[in-house]
Amino acid sequence: RKPPTRIFEMADDAENAGADAEGEVEDVEAEAKVEFKPLIELPPEIDHKSGEEDEDVIFKMRTKMFRFVEQSKEWKERGTGDVRFLRHKSSDKVRVLMRAEKTLRVRANHPLTPTLELKPHAGSDRAFTYFTPDWSEDPETGVVEQRNELFAFRFANAENAGKFKEGFEKIQKGDFTGLDVIKQDAEDAEKAAAGDKKEEKKE
């Protein structure tokens, strides 16, 4: 009597079906490994430099800056941001740099020299002005070239303005001692002024 073979045939069918399924998976994986090149090649990443890489910030204070326009005989706002004193790491030369906080465009850029005469602006105890050769962007054309400018810097309060004057005049004398303390005091005063504004808004 011949034994039934149906169970073995079923096993063979299942094995063949599994092999076909594996083949299909392999085909899908092979297709997935196909590489597609982008239609547009992206340019290499550009390392943008600010020009401040070789300098240390020895003073920073938030301010609103103005320049005097000779033609119209009026003060015009140049922007709000941090006015900073930058000291070169090798030459020790210091420059004043102010960038507008949103656009980062340069609004003041000149050496902090002993010849600059810092004066209170219009009798105010929180604003100072001085005349200087400057190398910042022209407000109309954006061109950078030397121009003689009359600048004014207005601070949140008299204390902040006093820190600016203290640091400014110490550097003019070539005295760099204690500038880290002045810088920290200026930052503390700035935070306090910002806190006062928040309290006023709540009231």
Side-chain angles (χ1 to χ4, degrees):
R1 183 180 176 184
K2 188 177 178 181
T5 59
R6 180 58 183 164
I7 189 169
F8 299 106
E9 291 173 358
M10 293 174 62
D12 290 340
D13 292 342
E15 186 177 346
N16 291 334
D20 292 341
E22 289 179 2
E24 291 177 4
V25 172
E26 288 177 359
D27 291 341
V28 172
E29 290 179 349
E31 291 179 4
K33 291 178 181 178
V34 176
E35 294 183 2
F36 295 95
K37 292 185 178 181
L39 298 176
I40 301 175
E41 293 289 342
L42 295 177
E45 187 175 348
I46 300 174
D47 184 17
H48 294 283
K49 294 188 176 182
S50 66
E52 305 168 26
E53 289 75 18
D54 296 325
E55 298 168 301
D56 293 321
V57 179
I58 57 177
F59 180 89
K60 182 180 75 171
M61 175 67 75
R62 183 176 173 80
T63 186
K64 181 172 286 189
M65 181 183 170
F66 303 82
R67 65 185 289 268
F68 187 74
V69 181
E70 186 63 34
Q71 291 83 354
S72 58
K73 304 295 183 184
E74 62 180 343
W75 289 96
K76 286 195 173 182
E77 184 179 335
R78 290 220 71 186
T80 300
D82 290 331
V83 57
R84 295 179 295 158
F85 301 159
L86 304 179
R87 183 183 184 183
H88 197 275
K89 294 177 182 178
S90 58
S91 69
D92 282 341
K93 290 183 178 179
V94 179
R95 64 172 172 147
V96 177
L97 183 70
M98 191 276 193
R99 293 181 183 271
E101 62 182 357
K102 292 183 179 179
T103 64
L104 297 182
R105 294 183 66 178
V106 177
R107 296 311 190 192
N109 177 33
H110 61 81
L112 203 170
T113 64
T115 57
L116 299 181
E117 189 176 358
L118 193 65
K119 298 179 179 180
H121 176 55
S124 173
D125 63 353
R126 64 188 187 99
F128 288 99
T129 182
Y130 59 85
F131 186 80
T132 181
D134 183 72
W135 287 265
S136 59
E137 299 176 30
D138 184 278
E140 303 296 333
T141 65
V143 175
V144 177
E145 59 184 4
Q146 180 183 343
R147 293 181 306 277
N148 293 326
E149 298 277 16
L150 180 60
F151 288 148
F153 295 89
R154 189 173 69 198
F155 300 92
N157 51 45
E159 182 181 3
N160 289 19
K163 295 299 178 184
F164 173 82
K165 181 176 184 292
E166 183 180 2
F168 195 101
E169 293 180 343
K170 278 180 73 72
I171 293 169
Q172 283 186 305
K173 298 173 183 176
D175 181 7
F176 295 100
T177 60
L179 282 174
D180 55 339
V181 176
I182 295 174
K183 180 175 180 288
Q184 186 60 55
D185 287 346
E187 292 173 355
D188 292 342
E190 190 172 89
K191 290 177 182 177
D196 292 341
K197 286 185 177 180
K198 289 182 180 179
E199 290 298 324
E200 290 176 3
K201 289 182 179 179
K202 288 181 180 179
E203 294 175 0

